């Protein structure tokens, strides 16, 4: 044992054990506070929040909305590798002024085929092409609005090439928008010098880009997205996710300070040097350093703080999250590698404390699980709307994973280290996130910090007692 009997144990604190001390500020408005941050070695976000890689939190819909708001979503791995890669593709396709690989269809296909293809890819039009990518026509909502016979061939319904407006693939954004406006069209296919289809610009993407000026985007203008992989099929899954355009691979292991995680980081870095690899979860400086030395580009911190976690009760293992974040951030800072404070955020005050303690970003599950954008429909009970939230290591999630053919075959026999329950339906995630960010900006303004780096330097915590916590809570004085 590392402890001797009379030695006082090291004290470890959680978010509720502390408060941030207010300091002098000359910031005129908290809206001027810059929340941009590093998620990983090469990925910059405009807001320091990512949605958790959980099957009741992040699918493509959530990831799209998180990225539009300046954060990022991490697609869960509780689905086949192909399904996960499709989700990544959907995010990558969701918003871009320039779509590099537009959805195409053959002229022999029927209207039924076209509708299926559009629904599957969440698009409102397809370009009709020859196998050599020569444009033959375009099929949009306008062409099929009043058509009821689904067996008619696409060829008969499309707007033919002669009537289409196309542009050269080198066209500038402003010029493209002028064409869309002048001809009152929604889609502008782009052709290369040989007249072959080579891209697409859409009016709806332009509108979305204008509506979310702070969206997190890659160099080509596509929304950023991360995706989770496990240890067993990590390399195979990574291959499909990288081909789908993923920006960061997040290793999803309960105990990341493990030789299997270290080995996987090394292999991934070797095979995919241009993709940022996030490793975890760990709760110690030692774990953080070992994963950074293996090549990780960000470290995920948190053993057992999550709202659906029972690891600390089942295994008796973990470190209260504030101390874990403080210690791991200090260790990672020496290598200039960001950390992600994962789990345990109950309110915007916790978010402020996690960032003040040194996290680059915070990962959130429970608070986003009741949103419209989390996977699954809401249901009504007793006149109230609910969604389901469940831990990745809960019994239900494990059974589902085995049914889906997960390679981790003893999963359902293990003692669960997570629970599942219903959460109140809360509407759009954008609003939930905005509430959290408002609170964070307020916390930073009380510290006198204009940006996250200043927050790290100026933040000072005081430890509080149970009475301090009681005093902190709003209450009525009526007896
Ligand atoms: P919050 O508190 O935001 O936490 O809901 C989300 C994080 O919780 C972790 N997680 C688990 N931890 N057993 C655990 O010990 C589980 O079943 C489980 N499921 C999720 C995970 O790190 C997530 O991001």
């Amino acid at each position: 044992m590392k402890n001797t009997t009379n030695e006082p144990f090291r004290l470890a604190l959680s978010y509720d054990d502390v408060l941030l001390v207010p300091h002098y500020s000359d910031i005129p408005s908290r809206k001027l506070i810059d929340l941009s941050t590093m998620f990983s070695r090469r990925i910059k976000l405009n807001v320091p929040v990512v949605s958790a890689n959980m099957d009741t939190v992040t699918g493509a819909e959530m990831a799209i909305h998180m990225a539009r708001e300046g954060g990022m979503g991490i697609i869960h791995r509780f689905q086949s590798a192909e399904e996960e890669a499709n989700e990544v593709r959907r995010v990558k396709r969701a918003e871009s002024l320039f779509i590099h690989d537009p959805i195409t269809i053959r002229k022999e296909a029927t209207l039924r085929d076209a509708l299926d293809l559009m629904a599957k890819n969440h698009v409102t039009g397809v370009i009709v092409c020859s196998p050599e990518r020569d444009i033959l026509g375009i099929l949009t909502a306008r062409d099929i609005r009043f058509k009821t016979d689904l067996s008619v061939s696409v060829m008969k319904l499309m707007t033919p090439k002669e009537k289409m407006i196309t542009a050269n693939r080198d066209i500038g954004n402003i010029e493209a928008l002028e064409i869309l406006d002048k001809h009152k069209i929604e889609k502008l296919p782009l052709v290369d010098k040989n007249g072959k289809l080579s891209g697409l610009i859409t009016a709806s993407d332009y509108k979305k880009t204008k509506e979310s000026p702070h969206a997190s985007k890659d160099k080509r203008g596509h929304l950023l997205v991360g995706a989770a992989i496990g240890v067993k099929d990590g390399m195979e899954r990574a291959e499909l996710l990288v081909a789908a355009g993923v920006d960061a691979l997040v290793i999803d292991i309960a105990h990341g300070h493990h030789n299997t995680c270290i080995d996987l980081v090394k292999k991934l870095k070797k095979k995919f040097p241009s993709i940022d690899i996030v490793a975890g979860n760990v709760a110690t400086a030692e774990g953080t350093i070992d994963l950074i030395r293996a090549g990780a580009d960000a470290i995920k911190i948190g053993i057992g703080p999550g709202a659906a976690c029972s690891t600390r009760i089942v295994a008796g293992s973990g470190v209260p999250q504030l101390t874990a974040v403080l210690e791991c951030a200090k260790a990672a800072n020496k290598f200039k590698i960001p950390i992600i404070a994962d789990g345990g955020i109950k309110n915007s005050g916790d978010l402020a404390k996690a960032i003040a303690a040194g996290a680059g970003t915070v990962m959130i599950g429970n608070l986003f699980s009741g949103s419209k954008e989390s996977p699954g429909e809401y249901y009504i009970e007793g006149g109230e709307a609910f969604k389901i939230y469940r831990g990745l290591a809960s019994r239900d999630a494990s059974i589902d994973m085995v049914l889906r053919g997960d390679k981790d075959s003893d999963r359902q026999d293990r003692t669960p280290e997570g629970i599942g329950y219903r959460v109140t339906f809360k509407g759009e995630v954008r609003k939930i996130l905005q509430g959290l960010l408002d609170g964070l900006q307020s916390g930073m303004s009380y510290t006198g910090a204009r940006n996250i780096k200043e927050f790290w330097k100026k933040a000072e915590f005081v430890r509080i007692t149970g009475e301090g916590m009681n005093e902190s809570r709003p209450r009525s004085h009526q007896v």
Side-chain angles (χ1 to χ4, degrees):
M1 193 167 74
K2 285 203 171 180
N3 304 89
T4 59
T5 34
N6 290 325
E7 188 184 2
F9 298 130
R10 191 156 67 89
L11 179 73
L13 302 174
S14 55
Y15 295 131
D16 281 347
D17 289 318
V18 298
L19 284 172
L20 284 160
V21 181
H23 285 301
Y24 170 76
S25 170
D26 56 5
I27 303 165
S29 159
R30 60 175 91 144
K31 287 286 156 219
L32 297 174
I33 290 172
D34 173 12
L35 293 179
S36 64
T37 188
M38 293 310 285
F39 166 76
S40 57
R41 195 162 56 87
R42 287 167 296 192
I43 297 179
K44 188 180 174 207
L45 300 180
N46 285 320
V47 304
V49 179
V50 298
S51 61
N53 46 282
M54 298 173 75
D55 67 340
T56 49
V57 180
T58 311
E61 193 64 19
M62 176 68 82
I64 290 168
H65 284 82
M66 287 302 297
R68 274 195 192 141
E69 297 308 314
M72 190 161 87
I74 314 297
I75 308 278
H76 69 89
R77 66 181 177 96
F78 276 40
Q79 51 193 331
S80 71
E82 289 74 20
E83 284 166 336
E84 191 179 353
N86 278 338
E87 299 264 284
V88 167
R89 241 176 246 116
R90 216 187 119 194
V91 181
K92 283 294 174 193
R93 211 179 264 287
E95 188 176 307
S96 158
L97 265 187
F98 187 103
I99 299 160
H100 293 261
D101 52 347
I103 308 286
T104 60
I105 196 162
R106 297 279 151 78
K107 66 180 194 310
E108 301 79 24
T110 61
L111 175 57
R112 179 178 286 109
D113 298 330
L115 290 174
D116 284 350
L117 188 66
M118 289 193 235
K120 197 170 141 224
N121 290 285
H122 304 268
V123 295
T124 57
V126 284
I127 301 170
V128 187
C129 270
S130 73
E132 294 76 33
R133 292 186 82 73
D134 294 305
I135 298 180
L136 305 173
I138 188 165
L139 191 77
T140 66
R142 249 196 243 174
D143 302 307
I144 57 180
R145 198 173 304 151
F146 302 109
K147 303 292 182 283
T148 47
D149 181 359
L150 300 184
S151 62
V152 181
S153 83
V154 158
M155 179 88 173
K156 289 200 179 136
L157 302 172
M158 69 186 190
T159 300
K161 188 184 170 192
E162 307 74 65
K163 291 193 184 159
M164 274 172 70
I165 312 287
T166 59
N168 190 284
R169 65 159 294 149
D170 301 322
I171 192 170
N173 284 347
I174 295 176
E175 220 183 319
L177 296 174
E178 278 169 5
I179 297 178
L180 288 169
D181 186 37
K182 182 170 161 209
H183 297 279
K184 306 273 173 278
I185 50 172
E186 286 289 313
K187 294 178 167 38
L188 179 64
L190 305 176
V191 290
D192 64 16
K193 58 181 187 316
N194 301 317
K196 310 258 184 211
L197 176 67
S198 140
L200 176 70
I201 289 178
T202 76
S204 61
D205 284 331
Y206 173 67
K207 192 165 158 261
K208 282 181 217 155
T209 305
K210 266 184 78 177
E211 279 167 3
S212 336
H214 303 299
S216 314
K217 292 194 170 170
D218 62 21
K219 283 189 201 121
R220 297 164 100 190
H222 300 274
L223 296 175
L224 291 177
V225 62
I229 55 171
V231 170
K232 297 266 159 73
D233 66 346
M235 291 305 286
E236 300 154 43
R237 203 171 265 262
E239 192 123 9
L240 292 186
L241 296 169
V242 171
V246 79
D247 298 286
L249 290 167
V250 178
I251 302 176
D252 169 25
I253 311 184
H255 181 28
H257 197 187
H258 196 283
N259 67 315
T260 53
C261 187
I262 292 173
D263 289 348
L264 184 57
V265 172
K266 288 182 185 163
K267 280 194 208 148
L268 288 165
K269 283 308 294 179
K270 198 160 173 214
K271 182 129 197 223
F272 310 107
S274 61
I275 305 291
D276 273 11
I277 308 296
V278 179
N281 279 19
V282 297
T284 61
E286 212 184 350
T288 303
I289 291 169
D290 283 352
L291 292 174
I292 292 176
R293 291 218 165 109
D297 300 296
I299 310 296
K300 203 143 74 77
I301 312 302
I303 302 288
C309 303
S310 52
T311 297
R312 293 185 187 167
I313 305 301
V314 174
S317 187
V319 176
Q321 186 69 344
L322 180 83
T323 295
V325 172
L326 279 165
E327 294 184 0
C328 296
K330 193 170 166 208
N333 199 18
K334 294 195 182 110
F335 299 85
K336 302 221 171 331
I337 291 292
I339 65 154
I340 303 158
D342 176 18
I345 301 297
K346 306 177 292 307
N347 47 49
S348 54
D350 289 349
L351 168 62
K353 290 171 193 176
I355 299 293
T361 55
V362 161
M363 177 173 268
I364 290 182
N366 175 282
L367 292 184
F368 292 156
S369 61
S371 68
K372 184 164 137 271
E373 292 80 2
S374 66
E377 296 300 315
Y378 66 79
Y379 66 95
I380 310 264
E381 214 174 278
E384 254 194 278
F386 298 98
K387 286 188 109 166
I388 295 293
Y389 180 57
R390 66 183 189 185
L392 295 173
S394 64
R395 170 101 50 214
D396 277 3
S398 297
I399 290 172
D400 273 359
M401 193 95 168
V402 172
L403 289 176
R404 285 174 193 163
D406 180 55
K407 298 202 171 162
D408 219 351
S409 58
D410 71 337
R411 180 178 273 278
Q412 71 184 4
D413 302 325
R414 285 187 225 146
T415 307
E417 290 188 18
I419 57 166
Y421 46 86
R422 66 182 196 181
V423 288
T424 306
F425 180 66
K426 297 198 206 91
E428 290 177 33
V429 74
R430 182 175 59 85
K431 293 190 182 150
I432 304 171
L433 179 62
Q434 200 46 57
L436 289 170
L437 297 177
D438 281 349
L440 171 60
Q441 283 176 315
S442 181
M444 290 171 71
S445 127
Y446 276 110
T447 300
R450 284 167 197 274
N451 55 51
I452 288 179
K453 276 196 180 147
E454 258 186 46
F455 199 29
W456 291 340
K457 268 196 217 133
K458 293 186 176 178
E460 183 195 353
F461 287 112
V462 277
R463 194 176 154 203
I464 61 172
T465 60
E467 279 312 304
M469 192 62 215
N470 277 340
E471 188 184 69
S472 301
R473 290 197 187 98
R475 63 205 169 276
S476 148
H477 284 288
Q478 288 162 5
V479 200

